[in-house]
Amino acid sequence: MKVHVANHPLIAHKVTVLRDERTPSSTFRELIGEIVTLLAYEATREVKTVPVSVKTPVTNTQGTALAKPDPVVIPILRAGLGMLEGMERLIPSAQVGFLGMVRDEKTLQASTYANRLPSDLTGRQCYVLDPMLATGGTLIAAIHYLLDLGAADITAICIISAPEGIAALEKEFKDQKALTIVTAALDEKLNEKGYIVPGLGDAGDRLYGVV
Ligand code: URA
């Protein structure tokens, strides 16, 4: 498993505004989109491509196109949905699947309550969107789900990660070479309620309000 922590002043600036409890949902949603587009640039570094011929107004030349079948983008509901637009901006042709996962606030265990994914992901490149990598429970369950469907390689894009979550993923998938985590920030720790510290609070609530 590979971990890539973005080290870019523009991303750091935008994450700082996200953290601010005064940032309203509308700005929060916009910033999440912008950060995801910036992270997606790094996350898609190894997206599969094929050589193509292209005729410019001057001459014929060789270019590059995304290979078929297109990558699959999977936001984890609810908060991952806020990251979808930013990802689609970069890969508009991507197929989109959905995975609804919720964690029990007492046990912190993740369970699946909805899924809308291709039944066969053999050979597919998958990009999982989940803003907060806290205990890692949700992402571990989601990754197992995709591997069981045959996913060839998986990249998880997160906004903020906790060291505990990264460690849990590393333990679970230590031999999994085709797994990458790309995160905008790696924070200090989890608190006793499973929230990332300093974090940004509940990403779903910050995006869509408390329900
Ligand atoms: N989920 C969130 O939305 N925030 C956290 O800090 C941890 C999990």
Side-chain angles (χ1 to χ4, degrees):
M1 181 182 115
K2 286 174 271 178
V3 179
H4 177 86
V5 183
N7 179 16
H8 193 288
L10 208 53
I11 294 180
H13 167 80
K14 290 176 193 290
V15 170
T16 303
V17 182
L18 279 187
R19 291 187 193 279
D20 190 331
E21 63 178 6
R22 296 167 303 178
T23 300
S25 287
S26 52
T27 311
F28 193 92
R29 283 196 295 271
E30 257 171 51
L31 283 168
I32 289 268
E34 290 170 16
I35 294 168
V36 171
T37 304
L38 292 167
L39 290 178
Y41 182 74
E42 184 57 41
T44 53
R45 192 167 283 282
E46 295 191 22
V47 70
K48 286 183 199 150
T49 58
V50 286
V52 289
S53 307
V54 61
K55 187 174 183 308
T56 77
V58 181
T59 185
N60 291 317
T61 187
Q62 281 295 110
T64 298
L66 287 187
K68 294 286 177 194
D70 286 304
V72 188
V73 174
I74 303 130
I76 297 186
L77 307 179
R78 153 176 86 130
L81 209 49
M83 300 170 74
L84 181 57
E85 207 182 306
M87 191 69 191
E88 284 183 309
R89 213 175 286 151
L90 211 68
I91 316 188
S93 62
Q95 191 176 4
V96 180
F98 297 92
L99 209 43
M101 308 205 76
V102 67
R103 70 170 186 169
D104 184 301
E105 292 301 331
K106 288 204 184 79
T107 63
L108 304 182
Q109 290 297 310
S111 59
T112 309
Y113 67 86
N115 106 61
R116 186 84 186 172
L117 286 168
S119 57
D120 184 8
L121 288 174
T122 305
R124 304 292 294 269
Q125 284 188 299
C126 296
Y127 296 90
V128 181
L129 309 178
D130 191 12
M132 307 300 278
L133 170 49
T135 60
T138 304
L139 215 42
I140 287 172
I143 290 166
H144 275 304
Y145 208 97
L146 301 178
L147 289 174
D148 288 349
L149 292 177
D153 66 75
I154 302 173
T155 300
I157 304 181
C158 305
I159 305 292
I160 299 186
S161 301
E164 293 89 335
I166 298 277
L169 279 157
E170 260 164 355
K171 188 167 167 223
E172 187 77 14
F173 299 111
K174 56 179 178 305
D175 298 326
Q176 188 59 249
K177 290 201 169 40
L179 174 64
T180 307
I181 311 295
V182 175
T183 184
L186 180 58
D187 273 11
E188 209 181 301
K189 59 177 184 180
L190 290 181
N191 70 13
E192 64 291 346
K193 289 185 174 157
Y195 277 86
I196 300 176
V197 179
L200 49 72
D202 186 298
D205 290 350
R206 298 287 310 272
L207 278 160
Y208 302 118
V210 182
V211 288

